[in-house]
Amino acid sequence: MVHNQQAAALDNLFTEQRSFPPPPGFAEQANVTAEAYQRADDDRDAFWAEQANRLDWQTPFSQVLDWSDAPHAKWFADGKLNASVNCVDRHVDAGHGDQVAIHWEGEPGDSRTITYAELKDEVSKAANAFTELGLKAGDRVAIYLPMIPEAIVSMLACARLGLTHSVVFGGFSSEALRSRIADAEAKLVITADGQFRRGKAMPLKRAVDEAVAGDDSPVENVLVVRRTGIDADFGDKDIWWHELVQRQSAEHTPEFFDAEHPLFILYTSGTTGKPKGILHTTGGYLTQVAYTHDAVFDHKAGQDVYWCTADIGWVTGHSYIVYGPLANRATQVVYEGTPNSPHEGRHWEIVDKYKVSIYYTAPTTIRTFMKWGKDIPARYQLDSLRVLGSVGEPINPEAWMWYRENIGRGRCPIVDTWWQTETGGIMISPLPGVTDTKPGSAMRPLPGISAAIVGDDGQPVGNGGGGYLVLDKPWPAMLRTIWGDDERFRDTYWSRFAEQGYYFAGDGAKYDDDGAIWLLGRVDDVMNVSGHRISTTEVESALVSHPSVAEAAVVGATDETTGQGIVAFVILRGEAAAAAKEGDDDAAAAHITELRNHVAKEIGPIAKPRQIMVVAELPKTRSGKIMRRLLRDVAEQRPVGDVTTLADSTVMDQISSGLTSGG
Ligand code: WTA
């Protein structure tokens, strides 16, 4: 089960002896202390009820967890609340209207400061606008926006009305957007004319035009924010945000919804080509993201300046830009652009400008900073920082140490947080005032959370042992189902260890001799590229949808910067196959570029293969299953492993000797 690449990583990890206790002084002021673990273990329901009471409930709940219909959980089911009121109104009502909610930094250098009182007005206006468009609680809204304040306002306005939002990452293609809109049957799409990316204004609405074209689209309206001034064609469905929203009243009286009311759907890659619509509901989700944001980042409302660098198109943006921090009355930085626009010190300039104290990013970003060199952060003060976080993929010890030394200046605890779109909130992580951290380990489940590492038979392994990561007890922010496909929900997560009733996370993991957890990456056909989940099948389907491709196999190969890189092996057909045989290098290179662009068009630029190799055959078992393990060996330029189960054992020789590679 553990791949070669993981085995290599393991050798490296288990020589890791370094351990860093919380800095002196940090532990004394920490929000959570060690006693929380025991308290949560003693009475989980009481512990989670206490966390839920961080929120304002219009109708208090009487029951904490109902697991009688497992694997469908109900948390706080008879309580009623409004997520938007919890993130905005209640802070204003408590006298914090003048506190800054969002320091927004645009990529071209423009900025906006939004207080909680202003955020309340904006969200209320947007809610009134959505109502004017005829939307009602339960309807779905697709949000396809860059990192601008309207993205957050839109999500909160949906929550306020009981509309279920489905945010689609602005880097996804029109095709990806179209299928997500169709699956959720979204009535409204919120987008922008364009977005700034690496200093350039790129069109965005055009992709929406393609995605909603045709009579069968469920979309009734497209609401368009003017961001770049790029030309946008306007049709019958299109309305400018500034025309509709700005003229609305800033008063809006919220309704309250059941704790189990659907809050959002977020699509994520699974092992098949079709993305899964992960469904999250309101009360349990908000409870866990608020609790974990407080506990893991030691967040102090009114004092800290928090910055999570994720995009709201991913779950990290949902939970740790929108719902967790705002429920906790954070003052946060939201940055629109890339870390090197206009220069490679942009993040550190922003940290100094706003005195950021908590910074949360992904290992791939840290490795990019490493590549740019430590001289860049060395030019900045960075003395406001006190907690550093990491999420999205395993962080290698080298990156962890670099982060600690060059960004945290040896002073800031690092929290490596393991979780998933499906878990909704952080599950495994150090507590910054409690845990002695080891570079590269997510350490142990948070108080109130339970996880285990089990073997193929579902039996727990001991210290020093490795296997599959499972979650053996329900948690408040857990996904409730896959939108429109409950059977897939059961199959994907609950069938592997059905007997034990465990949730199968799809990650390999290992305990070290002290019982700390080390995550080892996916055990399925899901790749992790720069912290983004992309399935091999999804990319394969995109490739074979090109007329010149007869067959394709895709693997994730270890990549120094992005964690994994996408490597595709394709068998060509027709003219392209003939041209490849003739050995015209220029034509072959042009064709590979075309295939890479084709994948970008079908899925999005993040899914573009790093490399495409043209082959005559693919290695298959006698039952016809592609042996990706062998392709991974080729992609990582290792000697090819055991080929005895191949139907034709000479195939690997042909592949290794006759490669036409490019990209
Ligand atoms: C991986 C992102 C190791 C893991 C929040 C998981 C991690 C997948 C970590 C979920 C971490 C995330 N250490 N691996 N700290 N965090 N992962 O749904 O493979 O985009 O299953 O959620 O990312 O990715 P997703």
Side-chain angles (χ1 to χ4, degrees):
M1 176 209 72
V2 174
H3 304 312
N4 294 348
Q5 89 208 53
Q6 295 174 339
L10 267 182
D11 289 346
N12 166 2
L13 291 178
F14 291 103
T15 53
E16 183 56 68
Q17 294 297 329
R18 291 168 292 199
S19 171
F20 299 93
F26 196 106
E28 283 136 57
Q29 58 82 63
N31 292 351
V32 183
T33 55
E35 63 77 39
Y37 291 104
Q38 191 59 51
R39 191 157 48 86
D41 275 354
D42 289 347
D43 189 342
R44 287 169 50 81
D45 279 13
F47 180 82
W48 283 116
E50 181 190 318
Q51 304 315 324
N53 284 320
R54 295 166 179 275
L55 306 177
D56 274 6
W57 295 82
Q58 187 246 7
T59 308
F61 53 88
S62 64
Q63 191 184 18
V64 176
L65 167 66
D66 177 358
W67 192 229
S68 58
D69 184 29
H72 298 102
K74 291 196 183 83
W75 284 85
F76 318 114
D78 58 351
K80 277 185 195 284
L81 76 170
N82 183 302
S84 161
V85 168
N86 271 285
C87 290
V88 184
D89 303 42
R90 66 169 173 149
H91 307 319
V92 178
D93 295 346
H96 300 290
D98 291 338
Q99 186 188 317
V100 174
I102 297 169
H103 288 295
W104 178 77
E105 202 47 36
E107 193 185 80
D110 50 340
S111 62
R112 273 176 74 184
T113 299
I114 303 170
T115 64
Y116 273 96
E118 288 163 345
L119 186 61
K120 179 172 178 249
D121 289 352
E122 294 294 317
V123 171
S124 299
K125 285 182 183 180
N128 285 324
F130 299 172
T131 305
E132 187 180 314
L133 293 177
L135 294 162
K136 301 221 158 41
D139 287 345
R140 273 82 58 205
V141 174
I143 299 175
Y144 186 64
L145 281 171
M147 288 294 288
I148 54 178
E150 287 81 358
I152 297 171
V153 169
S154 296
M155 291 164 76
L156 292 170
C158 285
R160 193 175 188 88
L161 297 171
L163 305 171
T164 303
H165 57 70
S166 163
V167 181
V168 179
F169 175 54
F172 274 128
S173 68
S174 61
E175 198 40 49
L177 175 63
R178 197 195 53 73
S179 66
R180 284 159 176 77
I181 287 172
D183 189 75
E185 297 172 277
K187 285 192 180 163
L188 172 69
V189 182
I190 307 170
T191 190
D193 54 351
Q195 58 183 341
F196 290 107
R197 226 48 208 157
R198 300 197 166 80
K200 273 202 303 229
M202 311 286 283
L204 192 65
K205 174 161 187 299
R206 261 175 236 169
V208 179
D209 295 344
E210 286 172 33
V212 306
D215 294 339
D216 56 348
S217 175
V219 174
E220 292 165 6
N221 288 112
V222 178
L223 193 53
V224 189
V225 178
R226 180 134 71 201
R227 170 60 187 135
T228 58
I230 273 184
D231 275 349
D233 289 339
F234 260 55
D236 296 349
K237 295 180 175 179
D238 303 327
I239 313 162
W240 283 112
W241 175 284
H242 58 263
E243 286 176 4
L244 178 72
V245 179
Q246 290 319 327
R247 66 170 161 80
Q248 303 291 329
S249 157
E251 297 299 319
H252 180 268
T253 310
E255 270 180 72
F256 295 88
F257 301 97
D258 290 345
E260 287 298 335
H261 187 81
L263 181 63
F264 67 86
I265 302 167
L266 185 59
Y267 288 85
T268 187
S269 291
T271 52
T272 69
K274 189 172 184 274
K276 305 177 283 199
I278 303 300
L279 180 71
H280 284 289
T281 59
T282 311
Y285 171 80
L286 201 59
T287 295
Q288 189 172 333
V289 296
Y291 155 63
T292 51
H293 175 260
D294 174 279
V296 173
F297 300 110
D298 194 50
H299 175 260
K300 310 271 197 285
Q303 295 173 34
D304 277 307
V305 178
Y306 167 86
W307 183 16
C308 166
T309 71
D311 189 287
I312 48 133
W314 311 110
V315 74
T316 307
H318 284 62
S319 302
Y320 298 104
I321 293 178
V322 182
Y323 292 108
L326 295 177
N328 289 343
R329 187 166 49 88
T331 292
Q332 68 177 319
V333 169
V334 173
Y335 172 53
E336 181 184 35
T338 43
N340 53 351
S341 286
H343 59 81
E344 292 169 347
R346 184 72 189 265
H347 275 209
W348 318 127
E349 185 179 86
I350 293 174
V351 167
D352 281 356
K353 175 172 173 186
Y354 294 107
K355 303 275 163 248
V356 171
S357 54
I358 304 169
Y359 177 81
Y360 189 29
T361 197
T364 182
T365 313
I366 299 165
R367 290 192 297 265
T368 303
F369 292 142
M370 287 173 76
K371 225 163 52 181
W372 293 342
K374 61 182 177 204
D375 295 356
I376 291 172
R379 291 179 205 138
Y380 298 85
Q381 300 286 330
L382 306 186
D383 53 351
S384 53
L385 290 170
R386 62 180 201 97
V387 181
L388 301 176
S390 172
V391 61
E393 56 177 313
I395 178 164
N396 47 313
E398 297 69 29
W400 197 102
M401 287 304 298
W402 191 93
Y403 197 26
R404 177 182 158 84
E405 282 161 14
N406 296 286
I407 308 304
R409 308 270 159 87
R411 178 187 74 231
C412 307
I414 296 181
V415 288
D416 173 13
T417 62
W418 178 90
W419 58 294
Q420 308 177 298
T421 305
E422 293 86 341
T423 69
I426 298 171
M427 303 294 281
I428 304 176
S429 166
L431 286 172
V434 176
T435 316
D436 290 5
T437 51
K438 302 183 186 193
S441 170
M443 302 306 296
R444 63 181 285 195
L446 291 175
I449 299 296
S450 184
I453 301 173
V454 300
D456 271 314
D457 55 0
Q459 292 305 308
V461 302
N463 285 1
Y468 302 103
L469 181 71
V470 297
L471 302 169
D472 56 352
K473 294 201 174 80
W475 64 100
M478 67 196 293
L479 78 166
R480 297 306 196 255
T481 188
I482 292 175
W483 183 259
D485 200 347
D486 197 55
E487 199 177 311
R488 189 171 179 199
F489 165 69
R490 290 172 182 276
D491 283 354
T492 310
Y493 306 107
W494 303 96
S495 66
R496 182 69 180 76
F497 297 109
E499 203 178 307
Q500 296 84 358
Y502 295 161
Y503 168 90
F504 175 62
D507 279 8
K510 188 166 168 132
Y511 291 118
D512 67 15
D513 292 337
D514 301 326
I517 295 174
W518 298 74
L519 277 311
L520 305 175
R522 303 288 308 184
V523 296
D524 53 17
D525 292 332
V526 175
M527 299 174 287
N528 190 325
V529 183
S530 299
H532 301 150
R533 277 165 71 172
I534 302 166
S535 87
T536 52
T537 333
E538 228 173 332
V539 181
E540 286 164 5
S541 325
L543 282 166
V544 296
S545 76
H546 191 278
S548 73
V549 177
E551 219 179 326
V554 167
V555 296
T558 304
D559 185 290
E560 217 172 277
T561 307
T562 60
Q564 284 188 308
I566 303 176
V567 178
F569 296 81
V570 296
I571 301 177
L572 298 178
R573 65 178 177 205
E575 274 169 40
K581 262 203 195 110
E582 272 160 32
D584 178 343
D585 288 350
D586 289 347
H591 186 237
I592 279 164
T593 305
E594 182 181 325
L595 291 181
R596 293 178 70 231
N597 291 338
H598 177 71
V599 175
K601 187 175 160 290
E602 289 292 304
I603 306 173
I606 52 165
K608 237 185 200 184
R610 182 185 78 184
Q611 198 176 13
I612 296 181
M613 305 196 192
V614 176
V615 295
E617 287 295 338
L618 288 169
K620 290 186 184 157
T621 60
R622 281 173 200 93
S623 60
K625 198 168 151 25
I626 292 173
M627 293 193 67
R628 290 173 208 283
R629 173 174 62 79
L630 299 177
L631 293 175
R632 217 176 283 121
D633 288 341
V634 174
E636 293 176 351
Q637 299 173 344
R638 258 195 313 271
V640 172
D642 185 5
V643 296
T644 48
T645 51
L646 281 182
D648 173 358
S649 61
T650 65
V651 166
M652 287 317 294
D653 295 337
Q654 293 171 31
I655 291 179
S656 305
S657 63
L659 286 178
T660 317
S661 70

